[in-house]
Amino acid sequence: MSAPAREVVVHPDANVLAAATAARLLTHLVDTQSHRAPVHAVLTGGTVGIATLAAVAASPARDAVDWSQVHLWWGDERFLPDGDPDRNETQARGALLTALGEALPSANVHAVPALGPDVPTPEVAAERYASELASFATDGAEVPTFDVLMLGMGPDGHVASLFPGHVALGASGVATVGVHGSPKPPPLRVSLTFEALRAARQVWVVAAGAEKADAVASALADAPVSLTPAAGAYGTERTLWLVDAAAVSEAPAVPGPSQAH
Ligand SMILES: O=C(O)[C@H](O)[C@@H](O)[C@H](O)[C@H](O)COP(=O)(O)O
């Protein structure tokens, strides 16, 4: 089955991008809940990813979501001790999860296992995360059918913790992988594999800033995934690129933001 064509939505700047992505996420969760429960959403780390969660927290519309029927996962995690400020989970809790309080059951928050005495390596964390993902999967799948999976993208075109030229790009038959030697600190990480990412109904790649322009242009031009991993990010029903004008400045034939103001 061929992947759906990428859609690109351009916003004026990073702040508007985060706010608009938050509004889109809230609407998507509410719409999805009107005909399916529970909803599985995959979060991302990174500047825009966390800013999006903060914008969700600030929105009165967040109370339109039945968070008791939302399960949150992560596309990748920095392999650090629990509570480390550099963990994507820690930053997500600070941006949104703590603000949701008891509306979001703790059992619905599926963090990647942290470095600790029982989890000494990224591989152990990856295996345990894969088991948790599988326990929520249906029809023999490795992972739940994610309703929406958000990805930030690095200047090198990485998504999650899948970096150019890295062996993790080729991981198959597994939902998660331990990552060593990440060019983006910290060096040890855990990531969903492309197989897992592509199980999502909708994949949203969010990118802002001129430093992402080369990678955005390469990905939208279908560069080799080994060179630009973001080119391999797509969902079964929709692949949405949510970018600001600076990040799409080198991508040909992409209409700019509506000049509404
Ligand atoms: O753990 C991470 O670092 C993220 O998951 C990573 O994939 C991030 O989303 C991109 O590197 C973009 O990050 P920025 O938006 O901060 O550039």
Side-chain angles (χ1 to χ4, degrees):
M1 178 175 67
S2 63
R6 298 184 189 94
E7 299 168 67
V8 183
V9 177
V10 185
H11 294 294
D13 59 46
N15 291 333
V16 174
L17 172 61
T21 303
R24 181 184 298 273
L25 179 61
L26 285 167
T27 300
H28 189 64
L29 292 175
V30 171
D31 287 355
T32 303
Q33 288 187 321
S34 69
H35 61 270
R36 179 164 54 237
V39 173
H40 291 272
V42 182
L43 307 180
T44 181
T47 312
V48 181
I50 299 303
T52 295
L53 299 184
V56 168
S59 170
R62 81 185 206 199
D63 294 335
V65 176
D66 178 0
W67 294 99
S68 72
Q69 292 301 314
V70 176
H71 285 259
L72 298 177
W73 305 85
W74 274 267
D76 74 328
E77 185 57 276
R78 293 93 178 268
F79 187 61
L80 296 164
D82 187 33
D84 189 292
D86 281 344
R87 272 179 61 89
N88 293 330
E89 173 205 2
T90 308
Q91 295 179 22
R93 289 190 184 279
L96 173 60
L97 309 193
T98 302
L100 292 177
E102 294 180 357
L104 176 66
S106 57
N108 290 20
V109 179
H110 307 281
V112 178
L115 166 62
D118 295 338
V119 187
T121 66
E123 287 69 26
V124 171
E127 287 166 15
R128 292 197 183 183
Y129 205 49
S131 296
E132 184 163 0
L133 284 158
S135 70
F136 283 83
T138 55
D139 303 329
E142 291 178 332
V143 298
T145 303
F146 304 124
D147 293 283
V148 56
L149 185 147
M150 291 186 288
L151 294 168
M153 188 194 74
D156 60 359
H158 78 259
V159 288
S161 288
L162 300 172
F163 294 93
H166 203 284
V167 62
L169 294 178
S172 65
V174 289
T176 61
V177 65
V179 174
H180 296 248
S182 164
K184 177 179 181 181
L188 298 182
R189 291 162 170 260
V190 177
S191 184
L192 294 188
T193 59
F194 273 123
E195 277 180 18
L197 297 180
R198 293 167 182 162
R201 289 187 173 92
Q202 296 203 15
V203 167
W204 301 357
V205 181
V206 291
E211 72 275 14
K212 308 294 176 73
D214 277 349
V216 169
S218 296
L220 296 183
D222 279 320
V225 172
S226 59
L227 299 178
T228 307
Y234 46 81
T236 59
E237 297 176 5
R238 194 178 194 191
T239 304
L240 195 51
W241 280 67
L242 303 171
V243 295
D244 73 349
V248 79
S249 58
E250 295 181 25
V254 174
S258 59
Q259 301 304 324
H261 48 272

